[in-house]
């Protein structure tokens, strides 16, 4: 692949493979799977998504408007806090609206009467190890604990929303569900639906789909009146394409070589630093030792001192101008990028099934300038 500009490339064939699998899982578990924009919001691919799913989930006014205007259906919306200025427009773009607290419910539920109203609950249990991503950690700002709920819910609350996962397996969900039922099943008879949130990585190769089917069969037997919703983001875009970058310089200090790239971890791959995790680099092996033949740190092109990751071994010395391809860079990338230092956002491309690469968007100075307007 000979590209001069950095670019995220979504591979249609892999995207359709994920969508097909998710549709099968939804049918087998008698559940609805909807796309969470917080992980993937490239709206020019929505015509493909609409062949497989019907709905999406939003966490802000902009995402709700994206669902309504670009996906073509109203959103399942949750926000930690709605505001007087935005609530009415959010309601107009939403089919379901979940409140994060009882005080938010009291303030806005009358203005949300056109939606199916839900309440986010906190089972006080999550196996997410990284605190930055754990919504049930002590002191969390998310959701209502069981001890704060009245025995009889307000009549217009139709659902519970419970998000406890992050790229988790079915075994984690099975254990978490025990806590959810233990805490909140006394209210299930008053509900019409339950949303088990995101983080269910059903498209990962080692995900135990048969276990999920078994768990959901049991749940439906216990609560046949409840509609079940899952809203993963990563699962839809998991391993659907790379970020293609290039080596622009090679520097060395204290026998540590760094290949400086025309992309940035902090600007274009933020989860690598936040999670953190080591991305797969095509043609390279991640190693612990920073020194040695053909071993390099990979450095971003921002002036943040920590905009680098260590270390990879290549089969031969790197050269200025050669491609550096980061695998699996479609979910939680474009939605979280920034223009720190005025660094240009990579282009976005869609590699069609017939092998044609369609450039969906290129970015330039005006995009940076207009954010400051």
């Amino acid at each position: 692949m000979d590209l001069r500009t950095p670019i995220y490339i979504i591979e249609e064939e892999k995207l359709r493979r994920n969508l097909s699998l998710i549709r099968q899982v939804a049918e087998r578990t008698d559940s609805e799977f909807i796309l969470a924009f917080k992980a993937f919001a490239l709206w020019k691919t929505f015509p493909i998504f609409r062949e497989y799913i019907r709905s999406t989930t939003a966490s802000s006014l902009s995402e709700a408007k994206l669902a309504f205007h670009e996906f073509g259906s109203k959103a399942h919306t949750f926000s930690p806090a709605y505001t007087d200025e935005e609530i009415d427009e959010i309601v107009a773009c939403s089919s379901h609206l979940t409140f994060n607290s009882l005080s938010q419910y009291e303030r806005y539920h009358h203005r949300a009467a056109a939606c199916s109203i839900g309440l986010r609950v906190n089972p006080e249990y999550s196996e997410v190890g990284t605190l930055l991503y754990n919504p049930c950690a002590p002191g969390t700002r998310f959701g209502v604990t069981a001890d704060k709920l009245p025995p009889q819910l307000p009549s217009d609350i139709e659902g519970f929303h419970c998000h406890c996962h992050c790229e988790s397996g079915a075994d984690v969900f099975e254990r978490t569900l025990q806590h959810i039922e233990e805490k909140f099943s006394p209210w299930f008879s008053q509900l019409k639906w339950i949303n088990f949130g995101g983080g269910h990585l059903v498209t990962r190769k080692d995900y135990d789909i048969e276990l999920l089917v078994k768990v959901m069969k049991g749940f439906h037997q216990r609560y046949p009146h409840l509609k079940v919703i899952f809203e993963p983001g990563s699962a839809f875009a998991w391993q659907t394409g790379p970020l293609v970058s290039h080596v622009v310089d090679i520097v060395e200090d204290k026998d540590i070589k760094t290949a400086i790239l025309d992309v940035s971890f902090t600007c274009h791959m933020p989860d690598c630093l936040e999670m953190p995790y080591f991305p797969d680099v095509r043609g390279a092996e991640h190693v612990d030792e920073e020194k040695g033949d053909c071993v390099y740190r990979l450095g971003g092109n921002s002036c943040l001192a920590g905009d680098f990751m260590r270390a990879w071994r290549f089969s031969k010395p790197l050269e200025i101008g050669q491609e550096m391809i980061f695998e699996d860079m479609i979910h939680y990338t474009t939605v979280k990028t920034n223009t720190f230092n005025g660094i240009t956002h990579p282009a976005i491309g869609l590699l069609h099934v017939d092998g044609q690469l369609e450039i969906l968007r290129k970015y330039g100075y005006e995009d940076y300038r207009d954010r400051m307007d």
Side-chain angles (χ1 to χ4, degrees):
M1 189 176 300
D2 184 17
L3 298 169
R4 295 186 179 183
T5 181
I7 184 172
Y8 298 99
I9 299 177
I10 310 154
E11 299 179 42
E12 181 182 354
E13 183 176 1
K14 294 179 179 179
L15 178 61
R16 287 186 179 276
R17 180 189 62 200
N18 283 355
L19 286 163
S20 179
L21 178 59
I22 288 171
R23 181 169 62 185
Q24 294 174 33
V25 172
E27 293 171 352
R28 295 189 62 196
T29 59
D30 192 19
S31 308
E32 183 176 15
F33 276 69
I34 64 180
L35 170 65
F37 287 153
K38 72 175 186 176
F40 181 91
L42 297 180
W43 56 270
K44 290 183 180 179
T45 65
F46 288 174
I48 298 174
F49 277 80
R50 285 196 295 266
E51 297 179 31
Y52 300 87
I53 64 171
R54 299 190 304 273
S55 300
T56 59
T57 182
S59 299
S60 65
L61 173 57
S62 291
E63 286 189 346
K65 292 173 73 172
L66 192 72
F68 186 70
H69 295 294
E70 304 301 338
F71 196 87
S73 64
K74 292 186 176 183
H76 294 236
T77 303
F78 162 79
S79 174
Y82 301 104
T83 65
D84 288 337
E85 293 75 19
E86 294 186 348
I87 184 65
D88 293 330
E89 195 170 2
I90 287 176
V91 167
C93 295
S94 304
S95 61
H96 296 63
L97 191 136
T98 296
F99 291 103
N100 184 57
S101 66
L102 290 170
S103 57
Q104 278 267 299
Y105 165 81
E106 289 293 340
R107 183 168 185 171
Y108 292 120
H109 76 103
H110 293 299
R111 293 167 69 174
C115 300
S116 180
I117 292 176
L119 188 67
R120 178 159 178 169
V121 294
N122 174 14
E124 302 174 81
Y125 177 88
S126 174
E127 297 186 21
V128 177
T130 303
L131 286 180
L132 183 66
Y133 296 92
N134 187 343
C136 300
T140 181
R141 69 189 195 280
F142 293 128
V144 181
T145 52
D147 60 301
K148 293 184 174 66
L149 289 175
Q152 184 66 39
L153 295 172
S155 61
D156 58 351
I157 292 181
E158 297 185 338
F160 278 170
H161 176 112
C162 189
H163 177 62
C164 312
H165 300 85
C166 179
E167 297 188 355
S168 303
D171 57 328
V172 177
F173 176 59
E174 182 180 35
R175 292 189 292 270
T176 305
L177 184 59
Q178 295 175 7
H179 291 264
I180 295 172
E181 291 189 54
E182 178 184 341
K183 294 282 188 179
F184 297 107
S185 61
W187 289 275
F188 284 0
S189 63
Q190 303 175 43
L191 304 176
K192 294 182 179 179
W193 53 266
I194 186 164
N195 184 328
F196 289 122
H200 307 271
L201 197 48
V202 298
T203 51
R204 189 174 59 197
K205 287 184 179 179
D206 63 351
Y207 190 93
D208 192 342
I209 292 175
E210 298 305 319
L211 176 59
L212 179 64
V213 171
K214 176 184 175 182
V215 169
M216 290 312 303
K217 181 178 180 180
F219 186 84
H220 286 305
Q221 289 175 343
R222 294 189 296 277
Y223 314 103
H225 69 290
L226 281 180
K227 177 180 179 179
V228 174
I229 303 163
F230 292 92
E231 50 176 42
S234 296
F236 285 94
W238 181 256
Q239 295 185 339
T240 55
L243 171 59
V244 179
S245 65
H246 309 83
V247 178
V248 294
D249 197 10
I250 298 172
V251 298
E252 185 171 347
D253 183 61
K254 309 299 184 186
D255 296 325
I256 297 173
K257 297 184 289 292
T258 300
I260 300 178
L261 311 176
D262 55 1
V263 295
S264 161
F265 289 100
T266 191
C267 294
H268 307 137
M269 298 171 276
D271 273 1
C272 293
L273 300 180
E274 292 178 3
M275 187 65 174
Y277 77 97
F278 293 101
D280 290 332
V281 177
R282 190 174 300 180
E285 174 191 8
H286 181 254
V287 295
D288 294 327
E289 177 59 47
E290 286 193 276
K291 300 178 182 180
D293 293 339
C294 303
V295 174
Y296 299 83
R297 285 182 179 180
L298 300 180
N301 60 341
S302 80
C303 66
L304 176 70
D307 188 7
F308 71 91
M309 296 197 74
R310 58 170 78 94
W312 282 265
R313 177 181 290 114
F314 295 82
S315 59
K316 58 183 180 180
L318 296 180
E319 297 179 358
I320 293 174
Q322 77 176 74
E323 286 185 341
M324 187 70 61
I325 300 176
F326 293 92
E327 307 287 9
D328 193 22
M329 280 293 163
I330 300 303
H331 62 284
Y332 283 109
T333 49
T334 52
V335 291
K336 296 182 74 172
T337 54
N338 61 76
T339 56
F340 174 60
N341 272 175
I343 293 174
T344 301
H345 192 292
I348 301 172
L350 176 61
L351 182 63
H352 290 286
V353 175
D354 63 5
Q356 295 297 311
L357 179 62
E358 177 186 0
I359 304 300
L360 301 180
R361 178 71 187 273
K362 282 188 175 182
Y363 296 83
Y365 161 69
E366 291 78 9
D367 297 290
Y368 170 69
R369 180 199 64 192
D370 293 347
R371 290 187 73 243
M372 309 298 156
D373 188 359

